[in-house]
């Protein structure tokens, strides 16, 4: 089991309190690492380090900052196997997915923002003066568990390229790859204080970051409820904020569309990143006139598709888990003995594209949280009727509220 510390001012430091967060492999339930459970004092230390380094980092020529980023891309590529193994273990995805959806993006982003840093037009003359773009100062990132590395690199590489120093609070469920990122930044030779890492719980470290007057800008990705809280706190100090919040739009299938193509696309999307993607098509709205076609159709030829009363998805998923030895890192509430099948509500015209067998592996149960975002191998299907098909949408909303509120 790997044990990490906080990364503050270019050094690995113990947390202010002797509290820890254990990181679990969701496929095996094995504890694979632990990180400090930071607090507001740790955030103060991180911000102080970032603030102290901000002026000298912003003063560096763009080509100097870009060289650090290019060196970082080389270090990440050199350590790609370690990144992939760690992400696979803490997130619950195959190694190939870990590289394709996570590590390769970090490598590209470091190079991309290095190029942008050198070629960006920082000053622009206008008819009545000049526009000059300058760094904010200290930028913080609060990132989610489903893309733990890419969310951090996409936010913070851009910030560092622009001349900002940064403070990162990764998800407490998947922080280990960000600890390796801190090691990579250290190996690439970044000046002390340019990158700072504080692990911990969202309600503690995240809130302390949002409230901190020494942070000039904050980028948050997470649930809508979490974003509302972070936004309120951040606005109290009038800092710049960017919120990317939960909630997925449905795949709307209109009259005359290729139904089989739509179903295949939705199922492929729902399995992307082992089902843990915020933009996946986990809801389908289909004209009610297609209901008989759906019910009679032989959709079992899609290995990821099957109604709750069928077994196609369950067979595929069991084989998938057996082959890859992984299980997605879903945030579960209490296990539901009846499984996903209990969520089928025929009275509301909702059919669930899933199989009860897909959610049980030993004593692990996946319960999709459809009141916000669904991260699971499921697609919820609703039948639409009416001029703008609104009744079906309203039924779906009522269904969600009835089940989860």
């Amino acid at each position: 089991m790997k044990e990490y510390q906080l990364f503050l001012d270019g050094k690995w430091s113990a947390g202010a309190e002797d509290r820890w967060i254990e990181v679990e492999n969701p496929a095996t339930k094995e504890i694979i690492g632990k990180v400090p459970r930071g607090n507001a004092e740790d955030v103060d230390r991180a911000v102080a380090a970032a603030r102290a380094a901000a002026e000298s980092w912003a003063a560096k020529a763009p080509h100097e900052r870009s060289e650090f980023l290019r060196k970082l891309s080389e270090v990440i590529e050199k350590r790609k196997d370690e990144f992939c193994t760690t992400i696979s273990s803490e997130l619950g995805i195959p190694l190939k997915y870990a590289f394709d959806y996570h590590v390769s993006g970090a490598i590209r982003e470091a190079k991309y923002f290095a190029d942008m840093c050198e070629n960006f037009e920082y000053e622009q003359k206008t008819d009545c003066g000049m526009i000059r773009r300058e760094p904010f100062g200290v930028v913080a990132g609060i990132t989610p568990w489903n893309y733990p590395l890419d969310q951090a690199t996409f936010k913070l590489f851009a910030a560092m390229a622009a001349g900002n120093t940064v403070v990162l609070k990764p998800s407490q469920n998947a922080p280990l790859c960000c600890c390796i990122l801190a090691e990579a930044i250290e190996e690439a030779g970044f000046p002390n204080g340019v990158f700072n890492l504080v692990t911990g719980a969202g309600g503690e470290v995240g809130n302390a970051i949002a409230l901190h007057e020494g942070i000039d800008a904050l980028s948050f990705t997470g649930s809508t409820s979490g974003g509302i809280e972070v936004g309120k706190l951040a606005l109290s100090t009038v800092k710049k904020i960017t919120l990317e919040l939960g909630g997925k739009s449905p795949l709307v299938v209109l009259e005359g569309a290729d139904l089989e193509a739509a179903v295949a696309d939705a199922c492929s999307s729902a399995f992307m990143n082992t089902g843990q993607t915020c933009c996946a098509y986990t809801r389908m709205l289909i004209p009610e006139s297609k209901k008989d076609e759906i019910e009679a159709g032989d959709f079992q030829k899609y290995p990821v598709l099957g109604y709750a009363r069928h077994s196609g998805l369950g067979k595929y998923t069991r084989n998938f888990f057996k082959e890859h030895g992984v299980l997605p890192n879903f945030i579960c509430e209490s296990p539901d003995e009846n499984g996903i099948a209990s969520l089928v509500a025929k009275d509301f015209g909702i059919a669930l594209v899933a199989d009860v067998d897909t959610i049980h592996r030993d004593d692990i149960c996946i319960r999709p949280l459809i009141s916000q975002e669904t991260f699971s191998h499921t697609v919820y299907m609703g039948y639409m009727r009416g001029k703008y098909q609104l009744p079906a949408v309203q039924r779906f909303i009522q269904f969600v509220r009835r089940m989860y509120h």
Side-chain angles (χ1 to χ4, degrees):
M1 180 179 71
K2 192 67 180 287
E3 179 180 309
Y4 287 97
Q5 300 284 348
L6 306 179
F7 188 71
L8 308 173
D9 199 22
K11 307 175 188 66
W12 291 96
S13 307
E17 298 180 290
D18 187 22
R19 299 190 303 164
W20 296 85
I21 292 175
E22 293 183 333
V23 182
E24 181 183 278
N25 181 326
T28 65
K29 304 185 74 174
E30 173 191 4
I31 302 302
I32 57 174
K34 68 176 186 176
V35 297
R37 182 165 180 165
N39 61 15
E41 183 181 340
D42 296 315
V43 173
D44 286 341
R45 295 160 61 198
V47 175
R51 181 61 61 189
E55 184 175 351
S56 60
W57 180 248
K60 289 188 180 295
H63 73 86
E64 293 180 278
R65 296 197 298 269
S66 69
E67 284 304 310
F68 282 107
L69 287 167
R70 287 199 176 90
K71 175 62 176 176
L72 179 56
S73 73
E74 295 173 2
V75 176
I76 296 173
E77 187 158 19
K78 181 182 71 174
R79 301 181 66 172
K80 64 184 179 182
D81 290 343
E82 182 182 4
F83 273 108
C84 290
T85 300
T86 300
I87 293 172
S88 175
S89 296
E90 65 182 340
L91 187 58
I93 61 172
L95 287 170
K96 183 179 185 302
Y97 285 19
F99 181 77
D100 291 348
Y101 290 101
H102 300 264
V103 180
S104 64
I107 297 169
R108 291 194 305 269
E109 286 154 16
K111 295 176 181 178
Y112 174 83
F113 287 115
D115 291 339
M116 178 175 282
C117 182
E118 287 187 315
N119 299 309
F120 190 77
E121 188 177 6
Y122 294 92
E123 295 182 350
Q124 183 179 6
K125 292 182 178 180
T126 67
D127 293 339
C128 56
M130 176 180 289
I131 298 173
R132 178 176 174 80
R133 294 173 172 84
E134 299 179 343
F136 283 113
V138 178
V139 174
I142 301 176
T143 54
W145 52 269
N146 60 329
Y147 284 86
L149 178 64
D150 187 68
Q151 280 283 340
T153 58
F154 197 74
K155 292 178 188 297
L156 301 184
F157 287 0
M160 292 190 293
N164 300 284
T165 55
V166 300
V167 175
L168 172 64
K169 187 270 169 197
S171 167
Q172 68 191 69
N173 298 100
L176 301 181
C177 61
C178 288
C179 294
I180 300 175
L181 176 63
E183 291 179 341
I185 287 172
E186 183 181 24
E187 185 177 343
F190 277 74
N192 293 349
V194 172
F195 176 90
N196 303 274
L197 175 71
V198 183
T199 54
E204 298 171 0
V205 173
N207 287 3
I209 285 174
L211 280 169
H212 207 291
E213 294 183 353
I215 293 174
D216 302 293
L218 168 62
S219 177
F220 171 90
T221 298
S223 68
T224 301
S225 59
I228 291 172
E229 179 68 15
V230 166
K232 288 178 179 178
L233 296 175
L235 283 174
S236 69
T237 60
V238 201
K239 58 171 56 71
K240 299 286 186 180
I241 57 173
T242 301
L243 304 176
E244 180 199 356
L245 307 182
K248 285 176 276 204
S249 298
L251 176 63
V252 180
V253 182
L254 301 178
E255 292 283 359
D258 187 332
L259 185 57
E260 289 197 14
V263 169
D265 193 33
C267 290
S268 174
S269 171
F271 264 71
M272 183 171 62
N273 195 42
T274 323
Q276 303 169 104
T277 300
C278 60
C279 59
Y281 297 136
T282 52
R283 287 183 291 156
M284 292 183 67
L285 295 179
I286 295 178
E288 192 176 41
S289 60
K290 298 287 186 179
K291 182 175 181 179
D292 291 342
E293 182 180 347
I294 292 261
E295 296 288 346
D298 180 21
F299 289 107
Q300 294 302 310
K301 62 185 176 183
Y302 300 107
V304 298
L305 179 64
Y307 286 106
R309 60 181 181 273
H310 293 159
S311 60
L313 182 57
K315 180 180 180 181
Y316 178 86
T317 306
R318 285 193 298 274
N319 290 340
F320 181 88
F321 289 152
K322 182 177 179 180
E323 178 182 354
H324 296 286
V326 297
L327 187 73
N329 186 12
F330 299 116
I331 311 304
C332 303
E333 294 183 350
S334 58
D336 181 349
E337 292 182 357
N338 295 319
I340 292 181
S342 67
L343 299 181
V344 177
K346 295 181 179 179
D347 291 342
F348 289 89
I350 303 297
L352 179 59
V353 184
D355 182 86
V356 66
D357 291 336
T358 67
I359 66 168
H360 291 292
R361 183 174 183 268
D362 299 327
D363 60 341
I364 300 173
C365 178
I366 302 167
R367 186 183 184 196
L369 307 179
I370 63 174
S371 59
Q372 292 187 32
E373 287 188 284
T374 305
F375 290 95
S376 60
H377 303 106
T378 57
V379 179
Y380 298 91
M381 187 177 296
Y383 297 113
M384 304 182 296
R385 67 166 69 93
K387 182 176 181 181
Y388 296 106
Q389 316 292 356
L390 287 179
V393 178
Q394 292 168 349
R395 289 201 307 278
F396 186 86
I397 294 173
Q398 291 170 351
F399 166 67
V400 169
R401 288 175 176 169
R402 183 172 178 176
M403 295 298 298
Y404 286 96
H405 293 281

